[in-house]
Amino acid sequence: SRWFRPVLWTAFATPLIVCVHLTIDPDARRFDNGVGVYPFQDIPLPISTVILGTLALSMASIVLRFVRAAPDVRRQIVWVVYPGVIAQTIIYVGEAVPIGDPLRNFTIVAVPVCIAIAITRYRLYDIDLVVSRTLVYAGLVAVITGVYFALLGVAGSLFAGHGTLAG
């Protein structure tokens, strides 16, 4: 909604803010097993306030939309938000406690799978239009590519005796 548009823009700006901070202060990043970690306790207070504030207001926006939504939209929201919250929780806990990479990887993979379920089963994002257009464009690309290579083959075989450039 228009009330949460500044939160959206702040969410878009947050990675840029973090990148600027890591550029200015490269010692803020730690490396654990070759993976760069941005420890939350080392983040300056203004940046952590932006991160946590954006997260809290984003969750408030989702909760507000969930409360006001129809039942089918609620199911869409649950299929998108639930695995994301679980994955973020496991990733956050995994930064402090060794939980194992397979569990972390499984939760990260679960997010797009659940989003795919929300898209296909509950018609999130009006996917019928996207699928039909994708199939039409894929068919057109296949036909045009086939015609191009057929013409190329015919022209190559007809003009092969007339020199290299003619074909």
Side-chain angles (χ1 to χ4, degrees):
S1 69
R2 67 172 198 236
W3 299 106
F4 287 99
R5 203 161 287 141
V7 176
L8 177 66
W9 288 110
T10 307
F12 285 144
T14 300
L16 296 174
I17 294 169
V18 170
C19 286
V20 168
H21 175 245
L22 289 175
T23 302
I24 293 171
D25 184 16
D27 294 331
R29 181 181 295 188
R30 292 189 192 149
F31 290 94
D32 182 32
N33 294 331
V35 177
V37 179
Y38 190 47
F40 201 71
Q41 64 271 14
D42 294 341
I43 301 174
L45 184 61
I47 297 175
S48 61
T49 303
V50 168
I51 293 171
L52 290 176
T54 304
L55 181 64
L57 289 172
S58 299
M59 292 304 291
S61 168
I62 291 172
V63 167
L64 188 64
R65 182 167 182 199
F66 183 81
V67 169
R68 293 181 178 173
D72 56 339
V73 176
R74 284 184 181 184
R75 284 189 289 274
Q76 292 172 347
I77 292 171
V78 166
W79 273 103
V80 173
V81 171
Y82 184 70
V85 169
I86 296 294
Q88 284 298 328
T89 303
I90 288 177
I91 290 169
Y92 181 73
V93 168
E95 295 296 329
V97 177
I99 60 169
D101 287 336
L103 178 62
R104 209 178 329 188
N105 294 341
F106 176 75
T107 57
I108 291 171
V109 169
V111 174
V113 169
C114 290
I115 290 173
I117 291 170
I119 287 173
T120 55
R121 185 170 180 189
Y122 296 107
R123 304 287 185 242
L124 182 65
Y125 302 127
D126 197 21
I127 196 69
D128 295 333
L129 179 65
V130 173
V131 168
S132 66
R133 286 186 181 175
T134 301
L135 291 175
V136 168
Y137 293 140
L140 284 172
V141 166
V143 167
I144 290 171
T145 303
V147 168
Y148 172 76
F149 282 115
L151 288 174
L152 190 67
V154 168
S157 65
L158 286 177
F159 299 113
H162 299 294
T164 312
L165 286 176

